[in-house]
Amino acid sequence: MNWLKKLPGYQRTPYGLELRLLRMMPRVLVLGSLLPLMLSGLARLFYTRGTAAELERHIQLFDFGMIGLAVLIWTAVFTVSFGCVLVWLMKGPAYVADGYDVSHSDKPKRD
């Protein structure tokens, strides 16, 4: 039994924006992870005024914001990648399931 029987005469749709976006996602993921890390490092250079407790509180608050930004970027990359893969699969070849006979297919029932 052939489970994946291609629909005869179906033409594949050419790839478009989804493939370009999918190819960009690894770079976006790396840059989106490095950006909060670099900003967190720069925060340690620019926060210099105040007591040690105030400095620690400001830096910790900024670090929490950067962790949130990194998680937001990872979630966005995952969501966009998932959508691109779905569109990519849907543009692939069409498959047809095995048909089954209906008893009244040649003479439909009337209500």
Side-chain angles (χ1 to χ4, degrees):
M1 173 187 298
N2 186 5
W3 286 88
L4 298 174
K5 189 165 73 172
K6 290 186 181 179
L7 189 64
Y10 178 80
Q11 294 179 351
R12 291 181 74 132
T13 307
Y15 299 120
L17 179 63
E18 74 279 354
L19 198 58
R20 284 185 282 161
L21 283 175
L22 197 56
R23 287 181 179 159
M24 255 195 302
M25 287 302 111
R27 276 182 273 151
V28 171
L29 185 65
V30 169
L31 292 176
S33 299
L34 288 179
L35 178 70
L37 184 65
M38 290 187 326
L39 289 175
S40 184
L42 286 174
R44 284 160 172 68
L45 295 175
F46 290 115
Y47 282 134
T48 56
R49 298 203 174 169
T51 64
E54 289 175 349
L55 284 174
E56 185 178 348
R57 187 176 71 79
H58 286 295
I59 288 174
Q60 186 177 25
L61 184 63
F62 192 80
D63 285 345
F64 287 153
M66 292 301 103
I67 290 170
L69 179 63
V71 170
L72 174 73
I73 290 170
W74 295 341
T75 305
V77 166
F78 174 75
T79 304
V80 169
S81 298
F82 188 74
C84 288
V85 167
L86 283 179
V87 171
W88 182 41
L89 288 174
M90 289 176 10
K91 283 185 172 183
Y95 295 98
V96 63
D98 292 333
Y100 58 94
D101 294 329
V102 180
S103 63
H104 62 278
S105 63
D106 55 345
K107 297 177 186 174
K109 292 182 181 177
R110 305 222 182 221
D111 293 331

